[in-house]
Amino acid sequence: MTSNYFNSFYITGNGAILYDTQSVTSKSGFAFGLIFVVLAIAVGITLYSYRASILSLLFISISTLIGYLAIVMAGLLIGSVDYVVNYTLTAVLIGITTDYLVFILSRYKNELSIGKSDNEASLETAKRAGKTVLISGLTVGLSLLTFSLIPGFLSWGVVLVISVLITVTFIVTFVPSIISIIGKKILTNSEIRENKPIRKSFFYRTAIASVKHKFLVIGIILAFAIPSILFFINLPTTYNIQSGLPNNLPSVQGLNYLESKFGSNYIFPIYIITNNTNNLNNISSYLLTVKGMTGGFGPFLQGNSTVNNNISEFKIGNYYYVLYSNYSPYSSEAINLVQHLRQNKDLIVGGLTSTIIDQQRVNGVYYPLLEILITIVAAAVIGLSFKSIKYALISISGVIISISWSTVLLYLISTTLLHQQLIYLIPIILFVILMSLGSDYSTFIISIVEEESSKDVREAVPNAFSKTGKIVTSLGIILAISLGVLALIPVGFLEQLGIAFIVAIILDTFIIRNFYFPAMLSILKNKNNQL
């Protein structure tokens, strides 16, 4: 409508910025199409089978469609769905679908390689790998459901839990069925052969070294982990959700233009309401004396001085003021200023900075409770599934360490390379998703450790890591690629989230799984070398 009447104009504000953000993210959908191809190639390389690549493309496509069905179902249940969840949903489904498919096929390959018949291998794969995937999927789904407890993220939790549980059910039923029908044709003949001696495996040697020097390994990891966890707890972030938006967006250009001409303090003023009608003159004089206040408009107040005859202009039920300061509304100085004004019991203070203060107070209660809840959920599912609280302790502590490390690195990358402040939502989203998905690999490893313990207790840990090392490492890289695609979307929030996923999953895959896990398994074993 504006273009019909004006030749040169800017349209800005929250609505315009949201519209432009949706437009630029929708244009980045090609990245996920590219990831489909990359992951198919990765699956083929991991399993040495082009047929497995084709199968992965089929299952990833179906799981993505399931995800969109979950969006429709969530919309019917709760009324509306946040558009940003589309990108997180797609990345999560691509990652877990590929993970579960590769895990099941690799288990089938291992059963064949030890001489079992096609039928025996299919049944054993469905029994053991199916159980592991169900446990993992249940952990991921219930953990992601906790997103619903974050204010404004109800639709994330509902969409993710529905899509994950349907996808897992689909995989554990259809993949074994396809294996039983197609059989060895999924894999090439050259792939179905005896594995090389496990003692020559890099992962076997790594596990042996970690077990032998377990206290040194844990000591080094904790030396870096403890300060990182403390930094995560006190992480400096910004509530400016528009931080990192491309400057070429018309709405952002308009906002920058206004800020350059008037300053952000005039675009986002402080609003005050008071019903103390008997003390308006003193209130106006007081407001001018507050440090950082440059003036405003209200009863007995005009600019930076008081007047005598304008009371009627500023009354809508109660009397109100529109005030300006020297500070950016997102700055600590503005927050201190508003908190000072709120100490006056005659004033009700609003505006953007007041909203940030209220969010900080609510988040300071909700976010720690959410982190505790999701940790308990993930630990409970793993502990009950394998009947060992020690497995849960190892898994949860390892994920927390990788999250804290990645947060430190993300902060450095954002501030030094991207020149962006870290958005306050990133740490909590990172915690929820990684605590959920991190249990995947724990479940895979623990299931093999349990099997090996029944054969040779003393060699259970190195043997298990020799068998799972290559697959878990491949799956970690695949998950890092699928979630890391968010970094290709030119929106600061999604860029930061994508980079965080890449860093966290790589650290978790190469350090936590290969060194921390074997060392902790060795430390927590009982006198009979069992957990």
Side-chain angles (χ1 to χ4, degrees):
M1 292 176 62
T2 309
S3 63
N4 293 331
Y5 299 98
F6 298 96
N7 293 323
S8 180
F9 60 89
Y10 290 113
I11 302 176
T12 191
N14 288 338
I17 290 174
L18 179 61
Y19 175 82
D20 284 345
T21 303
Q22 286 179 306
S23 299
V24 73
T25 52
S26 64
K27 294 177 182 177
S28 302
F30 75 92
F32 290 103
L34 179 63
I35 288 303
F36 274 50
V37 178
V38 173
L39 292 184
I41 294 173
V43 171
I45 293 174
T46 301
L47 297 174
Y48 301 104
S49 171
Y50 71 89
R51 297 187 184 101
S53 295
I54 296 172
L55 194 62
S56 69
L57 280 176
L58 173 64
F59 273 81
I60 290 172
S61 301
I62 294 174
S63 68
T64 304
L65 291 176
I66 289 174
Y68 295 141
L69 173 62
I71 292 175
V72 176
M73 294 171 64
L76 294 174
L77 289 172
I78 61 178
S80 63
V81 175
D82 181 4
Y83 78 97
V84 178
V85 76
N86 294 349
Y87 305 100
T88 306
L89 170 67
T90 305
V92 168
L93 289 182
I94 290 174
I96 65 170
T97 300
T98 309
D99 278 3
Y100 296 156
L101 178 63
V102 171
F103 179 74
I104 292 174
L105 291 180
S106 65
R107 183 59 191 252
Y108 174 62
K109 179 211 72 173
N110 288 336
E111 296 297 333
L112 290 174
S113 69
I114 59 177
K116 290 185 179 180
S117 67
D118 198 357
N119 186 54
E120 290 175 335
S122 300
L123 291 174
E124 190 68 15
T125 298
K127 177 183 175 181
R128 295 188 179 275
K131 175 187 174 182
T132 301
V133 170
L134 277 176
I135 294 171
S136 177
L138 184 62
T139 305
V140 172
L142 293 179
S143 299
L144 291 175
L145 180 60
T146 58
F147 260 123
S148 300
L149 301 178
I150 304 177
F153 281 76
L154 172 63
S155 63
W156 283 50
V158 176
V159 168
L160 289 171
V161 70
I162 292 174
S163 59
V164 168
L165 294 182
I166 295 177
T167 299
V168 169
T169 304
F170 167 70
I171 290 174
V172 297
T173 53
F174 274 79
V175 175
S177 299
I178 291 175
I179 289 175
S180 65
I181 295 171
I182 301 177
K184 297 179 181 179
K185 292 180 181 179
I186 296 177
L187 306 171
T188 60
N189 290 330
S190 61
E191 173 58 14
I192 304 170
R193 61 182 187 273
E194 188 73 29
N195 291 333
K196 68 179 181 179
I198 59 175
R199 292 182 183 276
K200 294 183 179 180
S201 164
F202 165 79
F203 301 101
Y204 180 91
R205 295 196 299 269
T206 301
I208 286 290
S210 299
V211 169
K212 182 178 180 180
H213 305 288
K214 51 184 176 292
F215 292 107
L216 176 61
V217 169
I218 298 301
I220 293 174
I221 289 176
L222 291 180
F224 287 96
I226 292 174
S228 298
I229 292 172
L230 293 175
F231 183 80
F232 178 85
I233 295 173
N234 301 285
L235 189 65
T237 58
T238 179
Y239 276 72
N240 184 4
I241 198 68
Q242 298 163 10
S243 174
L245 288 177
N247 287 324
N248 61 349
L249 296 182
S251 56
V252 175
Q253 290 177 340
L255 187 62
N256 291 339
Y257 181 83
L258 287 173
E259 289 184 344
S260 68
K261 297 298 181 181
F262 299 99
S264 59
N265 53 321
Y266 278 87
I267 301 173
F268 304 106
I270 299 169
Y271 300 99
I272 287 180
I273 296 174
T274 180
N275 57 7
N276 188 346
T277 58
N278 298 322
N279 201 27
L280 291 175
N281 205 333
N282 290 335
I283 290 175
S284 299
S285 299
Y286 158 75
L287 292 173
L288 289 176
T289 64
V290 176
K291 182 181 178 181
M293 198 73 73
T294 59
F297 298 92
F300 297 111
L301 180 63
Q302 185 168 342
N304 57 4
S305 60
T306 57
V307 295
N308 294 322
N309 57 356
N310 69 340
I311 295 180
S312 60
E313 299 177 20
F314 298 95
K315 184 174 184 180
I316 302 177
N318 294 318
Y319 288 97
Y320 70 92
Y321 294 84
V322 181
L323 303 171
Y324 308 105
S325 73
N326 284 324
Y327 311 127
S328 164
Y330 300 101
S331 66
S332 58
E333 293 85 359
I335 290 174
N336 293 334
L337 170 60
V338 171
Q339 288 175 332
H340 175 75
L341 292 173
R342 285 186 165 190
Q343 294 175 1
N344 190 318
K345 301 302 181 182
D346 292 330
L347 308 178
I348 300 174
V349 186
L352 178 57
T353 304
S354 286
T355 301
I356 292 172
I357 294 172
D358 291 338
Q359 281 185 316
Q360 287 177 331
R361 185 176 66 251
V362 172
N363 294 346
V365 176
Y366 272 92
Y367 286 5
L369 289 177
L370 176 61
E371 291 167 354
I372 293 171
L373 176 61
I374 190 174
T375 301
I376 292 174
V377 169
V381 175
I382 293 175
L384 292 174
S385 299
F386 294 101
K387 300 177 182 179
S388 173
I389 190 63
K390 294 179 182 179
Y391 284 139
L393 174 62
I394 295 170
S395 175
I396 297 303
S397 61
V399 175
I400 290 175
I401 291 172
S402 62
I403 291 172
S404 64
W405 284 351
S406 62
T407 305
V408 173
L409 293 176
L410 174 64
Y411 178 80
L412 295 175
I413 292 171
S414 296
T415 54
T416 59
L417 298 180
L418 300 180
H419 304 292
Q420 300 173 4
Q421 290 179 285
L422 194 60
I423 297 173
Y424 76 100
L425 286 169
I426 297 298
I428 186 64
I429 294 176
L430 184 66
F431 191 96
V432 171
I433 292 183
L434 291 183
M435 185 59 72
S436 305
L437 299 181
S439 302
D440 267 3
Y441 306 136
S442 301
T443 304
F444 296 163
I445 294 171
I446 292 169
S447 64
I448 303 301
V449 170
E450 285 281 278
E451 292 178 25
E452 290 298 318
S453 296
S454 63
K455 303 174 186 176
D456 185 349
V457 173
R458 295 185 181 277
E459 288 288 311
V461 172
N463 286 353
F465 280 85
S466 174
K467 289 185 175 182
T468 61
K470 176 185 174 183
I471 294 299
V472 168
T473 301
S474 298
L475 294 181
I477 295 172
I478 287 171
L479 190 61
I481 293 172
S482 60
L483 291 176
V485 72
L486 296 174
L488 300 178
I489 302 175
V491 174
F493 172 74
L494 295 176
E495 279 182 336
Q496 292 179 11
L497 201 55
I499 293 171
F501 285 140
I502 293 172
V503 173
I505 294 171
I506 293 299
L507 289 173
D508 187 77
T509 300
F510 288 96
I511 297 179
I512 299 300
R513 304 299 165 187
N514 286 327
F515 296 96
Y516 181 77
F517 253 56
M520 286 294 289
L521 286 168
S522 179
I523 289 174
L524 294 181
K525 67 184 178 184
N526 59 27
K527 61 182 179 180
N528 296 320
N529 289 318
Q530 295 178 328
L531 285 166

